[in-house]
Amino acid sequence: MAYYDSFVIPFLAGTVFMFAVIAWKWCRWIWLLPSEDKRAISKGVFTSATPKAVWEVISESLLHRKIFRVNPLLGYMHMSLAFGWFLLIVVGWIEAAVELGAGTPLHAHVFFRYFDPGAHAGGNPFATVMDLLLLMVLSGVVLAWFKRVRSRAMGMKRTTRHVLVDRVALTALWFVFPLRLAAESFMAAIKHNGGFLTGGLGDLIAAHMDPAVIAGVNSVLWWLYSFALGTFFVAMPFSRYMHIFTEIPLIFLRRYKVRSGDHTKSFDNFQIQACSRCGICIDPCQLQRDLGIGDVQSVYFLRDRRYGRLSDKVLDNCLMCGRCEVKCPVGIELNTLRSNSRQERVDSPALTRYDYLKGTDRSSGSGRVGYFAGCMTLLTPVTLRSMERIFAAAGEDVWWADRDGASCCGRPLKLSGEVNAARRIMEYNKEQFAAHGISTLVTSCPICLKVFREDYALEGIEVLHHTEYILRLLEQGRIALNAGDTVYTYHDPCELGRGSGIYDEPRQILGMAGKLVEPEHSRSDAMCCGSSLANTVIDDGQQLRIGAAMTTELERTGAGCIVTACPLCKKAIVRNATLPVADISQIVAERLQVSGT
Amino acid sequence: MDKRVVIIGGGVAGMQAALALKERGAEPVILEKEERLGGKLRDWHRLFPTFTPAAEVLEPLREGIARAGIEVRTGAEVECLSEGGAVLRGGECIEGGATVICSGFDVFDARIKEEYGYGIYDNVFTTVDVERMFNEGRVATAQGGVPQRIAFLHCVGSRDEKVGAHHCSKVCCITGVKQAIEMKEMFPSAEIYNFYMDIRMFGPGYEELYRRAQLEYNINFVRGRISEASQTIDGRVQIKAEDTLVGRPLKMTVDMLVLIVGMKGGSRNVAFAGSGGLTVADNGFMQPQDSFLGNVSSGRKGIFYAGTVTAPKNIGESLNEGVAVAARVASYLGL
Amino acid sequence: MPQFGFSISKPRAINLDTNDQVPAERLLQEVPELKTCIACGGCTATCTAGNLTDFNFRKMHTLVRRGEYREVYEQMDKCMLCGKCRLVCPRGINTRAVVIKIKRVLGDY
Amino acid sequence: MRRNSWKEYQKEVADDRYYYLRSCIRQNFFPGSEKAFLKIVGEELGRDIFDDPAHTSCTGIGYHSDIVPYETIMTVVARQFAMMTEAGYENAAVSCITSFGVYTETLETWNEFPDIEAKVRENLYKATGREFRKPRNVSHASDIIFHHREEIGRRAKHRLVNRFTGEPLRGVEHIGCHYAKIFPREGIGGVEFPYVLAGMIEAWGGSVVDYPERRHCCGFGFRNYLVQANRGYSVANSQKKFESMAPFKPDFIVANCPGCAMFLDRWQYTIAEIEGTTYGEDGRGIPVLTYEELAGLVLGYDPWELGLQMHQVDVEPLLNKLGVDYDPAAKYLVTNGRYIGCPEPAMVNMGAE
């Protein structure tokens, strides 16, 4: 057989094994997709989604543009490894095809220098390009080693602690490129077929070593190189490196609008195995930053879920603030996956649990606008009073859903995983909203807002957070503010900002009331107050520490008043603040222009 | 040695300490941030458990100070401690052979417990407001009416993790009982409810007063902490609690809700500690050398404590510490 | 068996000699601050479910701590996990965790 | 009894010339007991006791079931006293604890409110033309046995000693609630440490079990038993006592109240059938006796003459321990040899197999 040597066996065996496992995984996952996901795929394939996906694959899977944004050095490291290796394969294949003709076996491309028939004394342009690419990959490997020692220099305070299979794959990967360099250099010492790097090293070797020794070392190195590749390929589908290939179908599926949901499903596998365990999610986590809890972050959650050893401790101990999700370079739906893991664990049918809600109606008043304060707002009566004044100033007739206490919105239950039970509560509330004939539903609680918008499917009823509603009143001129010179700083509640994308409305309102200064972290990077209902593990002292750290940042802005738009956040800030703390509705109510003036 | 003693704070402990020191031959100087001597007691009407008018305690002390010719600097707010004395706002240093810190406590700001609606609802008051009304001789609802139903809530700002107060303010239980009785005397037809978690009657005559409140004044004691309040359409206050002895939620509407606010460590404590090398205890009060033989000593040479600067105390205890600290200071100065 | 037309009433007394304290101890291990409950009733007073039903959170977790589990799970099912109780608790007890752990210790989780 | 506080509660018990007031339910449940009492007091002890056919129920069960008003029962009691007066007796010997409670309650009422007594006298006179003197002494029949316990002990054929081991037999004594819980001074030993039955057991060689639920009610409770739906509560009270006494391995239970003896005996059957639980040795029930039966056995009376076959829980294990010579074949035969039928075999009698 042409271009064959027995050292290629480890490589070939590893390659076959790897592609077989990957193919099996993908086929199985696709096969198990729910029919609506399959329909979405068939609908999307022949649309612009496909070329967009192709471009995204290039920009993310190969170039890692998002990681560049986290830290350029980190980005370069990922890009040099992924894109560099990709180019090595592509250029190697072209070179082999040119030199050996089409139809040569796979290993002949990969180990081309070994099988290279001709001697190119002096100038083989391919060899120069290949050496350049190898140098690029090697620089990535060096950075990866460096990251192990000094992650801070690459913008990461903490890196992931890896499992055994990851360490095996990682070790093999680290060896692959230095071994390639060594093998090609020794080959160049014999064949003089190297570029500036391998050729140069080859000349050096040839000058200083006995030819027999060179030949012996050479054959050992090619064996080792092949073995390192084979080892990496065998470990790869079971390690974090599965992400290399999984991210590609994930990008396509996502472009075809396939998403994870309340319940676990086959698509989740694409997301879970697309996690490269880069660990970028660790640093943004306030459980890590403020409490030193370092084993519950999304990377560990995905890892444990993938290997089927997810513990309650890891699953429950998350604020679901979403700070990691916005940073994830792969764009994995971390909160959704965590939610559906919780759902899978605890959900019970509970068909009659909330039957007691039937027939209860604690609401009062009537109007096209419904106001749902939310449970927590009942404990911040200033907000409630302020909303009353704002409604009155705008001349709005209001149906008060829960001023005298009523049902919960259902989201806290959903966050704990009890989706079916939450659904019962939602149905009851929906009936209430429908029965009272409202067309707008205003809530002061971002937790309620999110669930009203995403799970209630309230047809004919527009759901607004009070920040949105107030801004609308201001824009319509139904209310007006007396601007003052107070300096405000605004805390973005997780559920309002990252959760519902409401960043600008509160800032516009505060801009009308006074001057606004931003804390160090704001908008999508804003800190969590620590009181999140999604976390049932941390105790009061821990909540307090998270809240204190975040409050300190707000106080450091030099503002005269801290403003937020969530009752839970307000309570958390008040516990720690020395400055006055207000809900945005209070600022508005205090600054309302009395009509006629 | 310098016989001058700097006394920070002209409340009951500071005045008593000054009088006792003067008797022992020292030259005390009282630094009082307000315009008059008396501290928190100036705002108080009558004292538990005997209903003694606060003036009967304050006036003899004030007269004594005047008679003894003790130097008093009013309007003198102490910023921090200096070597051998105190630094006033404005930078002036007052120095002596010893310093006695009698700066007392701060009243808990009830607005922090937003769910009770203080500062939001018209008819939510604190015990401090009630004493002021007693002093003014007119207690009425915000609408000017006669209260027919009054609820007192114990432990506001005390024993509450959520406001960072693990400690018991000690005197509020009896204050609640005293004010409930005074309210009942003022409005015999009013229904009065005290909502409590525990009733702690530690002092002589306290338990007896509690018993009289129940038996003679028909004050109702409900074992449950109010969790939230809201204003009704007619401006009254609706409160919610659990009647824990029955095990059911309870709600009622009252004309006045009185929050029995607790004591917290003085706001200057951190500054004193920083400048004087002293320790602030976890509860925010100053940490005395020990709780027994050194309870008026700071552990730092020449710096002493008296009164509520170190812990919640009643008037009698604060007065006693004034005498105790004088003895310690006198022996320190070799008088 | 003869039909008596009645059954033997279960004793109402909390029998700490015979009650199984293991689930109670597990709960307290997981939420140790529950031991600091002073039964102020704030949780129950503010409780969203408790204002619509006979659900009494304070009583339920006290029963569990006494080793009395009968009907506690069913009662706990009324909780909507809204978390108001956690906000009002003067002892800083993670009441939502208490609900979840009680159900986990006693029930079908 | 190591506790001697019973001595603080002594009461006067007449020594002779008794007017016997029977118990409604005892006559039906344990007819041998009252017969034995008359025999012991009249024949063994040679005292004068009059069993008056003209006296009636005290209507106590009706009274405690809210059917008979207090005014009515006081008049019935007055009539009993009138009968006693007419018969020339002054010392009431009351067989029933409920009645005993009714008599003491009535007398105490008259003592506190003489106008009520006058009204009752008037009512009785108007209704029946009778008048009465209040009794000089009201004693429960168990007080009388207690009073004569030493003399009975001297005549004992069998002492309360296990003849297989030589150890004293362990007796659980159960005092009816209305014996001393209404007026502690009316009971020997008062309410906390009643001694009336314990004194008998100790005088006759046995030992008394002092178990935690000793003072607890048997659960009869009138309305609790009389309404079928409430019986679960009634039986639960007996069960509480059985569970508390079982670890002491009692050889027998003795009660001084007709209802208590009845329920402590029958409820053992009920509990065994419903729950499969028994409390005696070898998985059987604990034999339950009335104090007259206990005295009768001590005096060597024939157990079937005493009516012990009327008990739900078999008494044979106790008879064997006492060394009583009895004819097993005669258990369900009455004196003329007629077969009275026997109960179905039950778990409480068969024991653990």
Side-chain angles (χ1 to χ4, degrees), chain B residues 161-162 223 225 228 242 247, chain C residues 38-39 46 56 58 86 90:
Chain B
E161 185 101 27
K162 295 290 158 62
R223 199 194 168 288
R225 182 183 174 87
E228 53 195 281
E242 188 203 358
Chain C
I38 38 175
T46 202
N56 182 320
R58 178 191 56 77
R86 188 170 187 183

Side-chain angles (χ1 to χ4, degrees), chain A residues 281-308:
Chain A
C281 54
I282 300 175
D283 282 342
C285 179
Q286 287 169 263
L287 296 179
Q288 163 66 58
R289 200 191 87 141
D290 298 329
L291 305 180
I293 297 170
D295 53 359
V296 299
Q297 283 71 21
S298 293
V299 56
Y300 300 116
F301 156 70
L302 292 175
R303 179 193 71 191
D304 290 355
R305 176 162 164 186
R306 178 174 164 189
Y307 295 130

Side-chain angles (χ1 to χ4, degrees), chain C residues 1-2 4-11 13, chain D residues 228 232-233 236 239 267 269-270 273-275:
Chain C
M1 188 184 101
F4 291 99
F6 60 91
S7 58
I8 303 173
S9 309
K10 295 288 161 244
Chain D
Q228 189 190 36
Y233 174 64
Q239 188 178 35
W267 283 146
Y269 162 79
T270 309
E273 295 302 317
I274 294 180
E275 289 191 349

Side-chain angles (χ1 to χ4, degrees), chain D residues 226-289:
Chain D
L226 295 172
V227 179
Q228 189 190 36
N230 294 348
R231 283 182 197 159
Y233 174 64
S234 185
V235 62
N237 283 278
S238 287
Q239 188 178 35
K240 184 182 233 178
K241 291 185 71 78
F242 294 136
E243 280 175 358
S244 175
M245 71 174 74
F248 294 86
K249 299 190 189 316
D251 294 300
F252 65 91
I253 298 168
V254 59
N256 72 342
C257 171
C260 302
M262 162 76 180
F263 286 104
L264 291 173
D265 186 41
R266 305 295 199 269
W267 283 146
Q268 291 196 60
Y269 162 79
T270 309
I271 294 166
E273 295 302 317
I274 294 180
E275 289 191 349
T277 317
T278 56
Y279 299 96
E281 53 192 320
D282 305 328
R284 296 164 196 252
I286 306 168
V288 182
L289 302 179

Side-chain angles (χ1 to χ4, degrees), chain A residues 146-172:
Chain A
F146 179 63
K147 181 177 147 229
R148 291 280 117 190
V149 194
R150 288 281 314 273
S151 65
R152 231 166 245 272
M154 307 190 61
M156 288 177 74
K157 293 197 183 92
R158 281 184 181 76
T159 54
T160 319
R161 282 183 312 281
H162 290 302
V163 293
L164 183 67
V165 64
D166 283 351
R167 287 173 192 280
V168 170
L170 181 70
T171 311

Side-chain angles (χ1 to χ4, degrees), chain D residues 175-195:
Chain D
I175 309 294
C177 291
H178 291 187
Y179 173 69
K181 283 180 188 163
I182 304 177
F183 301 110
R185 294 252 160 226
E186 295 296 331
I188 289 160
V191 64
E192 294 301 331
F193 303 107
Y195 193 62

Side-chain angles (χ1 to χ4, degrees), chain B residues 224-298:
Chain B
R225 182 183 174 87
I226 296 174
S227 69
E228 53 195 281
S230 42
Q231 189 154 300
T232 61
I233 188 146
D234 52 354
R236 300 168 79 210
V237 185
Q238 181 193 285
I239 52 178
K240 286 184 182 174
E242 188 203 358
D243 187 328
T244 60
L245 302 183
V246 177
R248 280 169 53 195
L250 174 154
K251 74 177 185 184
M252 69 186 297
T253 305
V254 295
D255 301 314
M256 294 177 86
L257 170 62
V258 181
L259 306 177
I260 306 177
V261 285
M263 296 182 173
K264 54 185 248 182
S267 56
R268 281 267 157 248
N269 286 0
V270 174
F272 293 160
S275 51
L278 308 172
T279 312
V280 181
D282 288 343
N283 61 10
F285 291 84
M286 298 307 290
Q287 178 72 56
Q289 191 175 15
D290 69 57
S291 305
F292 307 102
L293 298 173
N295 59 357
V296 293
S297 307
S298 69

